[in-house]
Amino acid sequence: MRTLTRIAELREALAEERKNGRLTALVPTMGFLHEGHLTLIDEARGRCPVVVLSIFVNPLQFGPNEDLARYPRDPEGDAQKAAGRGVDILFAPQANELYRGERSVIVTPLALGEEWEGSVRPGHFAGVLTVVAKLFNIVMPNVAVFGQKDAQQVALVRAMVRDLDFPVEIVVVPTKREADGLAMSSRNAFLDDKSRTRALILSRALGAIELQFRNGEQRVDALEKAGWDVLLGEPEVEVDYLAVLDPDTFRRAQLARNGSVIVVAARVGGTRLIDNQILKTP
Ligand code: PAF
C-alpha cells in the first residue's frame, strides 16, 4: 500500500493505472476506521483492481460548535487496517492540500438536503458534497463506495452524481452493526458504558417501527408513534428527529411503502448519533 498526501502524486499514480486499463474504486472516509469502513473496502476490493481509500477529516462539513477538533483520529492504526484489507493507495491529505486559499465555489444541495441532518447541521451537506466532488475530480474513480449508515448523505451523493453528470457508479453497503444492534460509527468511541447502553434505544426504535410495518401498518404517523414510544423510555437521550421518509425526496408522506427510510438522530451523553433502516415489504 502506498500512502500519498499530495493531489499531484495521486493523480500521477492513478494516470498510470488508467493507462494500463485498470479500474479504480474509491472509498471516501474520515478515518478512525472500524469494521463498517472495512466492509466498504471489501466491497471496493471485490469490484476494481485498484482501491483508493481517502482519509480526510473535512473541516467544511463541521459547524462551528461541532466536534471537528475532537473527532477521533488514529493515522497509524488506520494505515495498518487499510493495508490489511488490501487497499492499494491511501490518500491522506492535509487540509491545506485540499483547500487552498480563498473559496469561491461550493456544491450546495437543494430541497433533498434541507431537512433532518440538513436542518440540524446547517452547511453540513454542502461541506460533504464539496469534498466528495473534489475527491471524484481528483481520483476519477469508476466506482465509489459509501455506507448506508448516512442515509441522507447517500441520497445526496447519488443526486449530485446524477445532476452534475459525474461518471462514477455509486455503490452503497448496508450498515454494519455491533452484536447488540448499535450501528458502527467512529463517534461510538466517545460513548462511556452508560451512554453505550442508552444508545441502543436508537436501533430498538427502528426495530419497533419495522415490526409494525411488517405487521401491515403503513400510516407514517402510527409508525413514528411506535418509534417514539420506545425512545421516550430513555429520557436521557435527546432526540433530534425520528421520521419515516420517502426515499426519493426525504420528505414525510402519509403512507410508508417498500423502500421508505426511517431516520433517527439523537444526542446520547453529549455524543450525536444517527441511524436509519430501510423498510421492506415482507
Ligand atoms: O461519511 C463520511 O465519512 C464523510 O461524510 C465523507 C463522505 C468521507 C465526506 O467527508
Side-chain angles (χ1 to χ4, degrees):
M1 184 180 81
R2 296 171 68 187
T3 300
L4 303 177
T5 57
R6 300 272 175 202
I7 295 171
E9 53 188 9
L10 177 64
R11 281 204 164 124
E12 199 182 317
L14 291 172
E16 193 60 31
E17 299 289 3
R18 258 190 301 279
K19 216 164 65 192
N20 297 327
R22 283 153 61 82
L23 301 185
T24 299
L26 168 68
V27 182
T29 77
M30 299 206 299
F32 207 71
L33 301 180
H34 51 68
E35 199 52 40
H37 293 115
L38 303 184
T39 61
L40 307 186
I41 297 172
D42 293 346
E43 184 67 35
R45 188 63 296 154
R47 285 175 181 264
C48 291
V50 181
V51 174
V52 177
L53 174 78
S54 65
I55 296 186
F56 179 62
V57 183
N58 173 32
L60 204 58
Q61 69 187 74
F62 288 79
N65 299 318
E66 294 186 351
D67 56 356
L68 172 63
R70 66 174 200 127
Y71 194 83
R73 291 164 169 85
D74 179 16
E76 282 93 35
D78 284 350
Q80 257 178 26
K81 288 177 192 161
R85 241 26 193 236
V87 167
D88 298 293
I89 299 179
L90 169 57
F91 180 51
Q94 294 296 312
N96 60 6
E97 178 71 6
L98 281 198
Y99 298 119
R100 303 169 299 277
E102 204 174 305
R103 203 178 348 268
S104 303
V105 175
I106 56 167
V107 182
T108 309
L110 298 176
L112 186 60
E114 266 165 19
E115 287 192 77
W116 321 114
E117 285 306 280
S119 65
V120 179
R121 305 183 68 188
H124 169 67
F125 284 131
V128 170
L129 293 180
T130 300
V131 82
V132 171
K134 286 167 73 69
L135 289 168
F136 285 175
N137 285 331
I138 293 165
V139 176
M140 293 195 282
N142 303 90
V143 170
V145 186
F146 292 83
Q148 174 59 31
K149 159 95 182 353
D150 297 286
Q152 198 175 4
Q153 166 174 290
V154 162
L156 282 163
V157 168
R158 282 193 194 284
M160 178 181 77
V161 164
R162 184 196 61 215
D163 292 353
L164 301 185
D165 301 298
F166 280 97
V168 57
E169 181 190 350
I170 302 299
V171 173
V172 178
V173 174
T175 303
K176 187 94 183 158
R177 294 181 183 279
E178 304 288 354
D180 56 11
L182 183 69
M184 289 189 186
S185 162
S186 303
R187 289 190 171 95
N188 291 352
F190 294 139
L191 299 170
D192 61 20
D193 287 352
K194 259 197 193 137
S195 301
R196 170 74 183 66
T197 306
R198 286 183 179 135
L200 293 177
I201 205 86
L202 271 67
S203 54
R204 287 209 192 109
L206 297 177
I209 295 179
E210 209 189 3
L211 182 65
Q212 294 276 320
F213 182 74
R214 268 197 270 123
N215 288 341
E217 182 59 83
Q218 281 185 285
R219 291 167 304 155
V220 161
D221 285 349
L223 291 169
E224 289 177 355
K225 180 176 179 310
W228 277 110
D229 286 348
V230 175
L231 291 174
L232 294 174
E234 194 58 86
E236 300 295 319
V237 170
E238 287 171 61
V239 180
D240 280 339
Y241 57 77
L242 167 77
V244 178
L245 304 175
D246 179 277
D248 300 324
T249 60
F250 267 66
R251 300 264 175 205
R252 288 176 80 242
Q254 284 196 337
L255 293 181
R257 59 174 166 100
N258 190 40
S260 291
V261 51
I262 324 163
V263 291
V264 64
R267 283 161 223 272
V268 187
T271 300
R272 191 162 181 281
L273 300 176
I274 60 171
D275 200 352
N276 71 87
Q277 184 78 48
I278 296 173
L279 291 174
K280 295 214 167 67
T281 312

